Amino acid sequence: MSQRIRVIVSIVISAVLLGLVVVYCINWWMPADALDWIIWSVMAVVGILAICRISNLAKMLGNKDKE
């Protein structure tokens, strides 16, 4: 049961991080400077990694439910 709660909390944290990244990328779309483009790109990569983490954690949670 403890492992299941840990996975659910990790999913929630990743979803919050993804939400923050989406808000950042939408609010600061089309940056003017090169440094701003780098920061925007890094934030986009973090968002993609958050999506991958959520999907992997959901798979783990699904496997735990079958057992």
Side-chain angles (χ1 to χ4, degrees):
M1 190 65 168
S2 172
Q3 182 68 20
R4 185 171 187 224
I5 292 172
R6 183 175 293 148
V7 170
I8 291 172
V9 169
S10 296
I11 290 173
V12 169
I13 291 171
S14 296
V16 168
L17 178 65
L18 178 61
L20 291 173
V21 167
V22 167
V23 168
Y24 178 85
C25 288
I26 289 174
N27 283 339
W28 286 278
W29 176 241
M30 295 297 290
D33 298 334
L35 180 62
D36 291 339
W37 271 109
I38 293 171
I39 293 172
W40 190 89
S41 300
V42 168
M43 293 297 282
V45 169
V46 168
I48 292 169
L49 291 176
I51 292 171
C52 293
R53 180 160 171 81
I54 290 170
S55 67
N56 287 336
L57 289 170
K59 282 183 199 175
M60 237 170 62
L61 188 63
N63 290 339
K64 295 289 181 186
D65 287 342
K66 290 179 183 176
E67 292 177 356

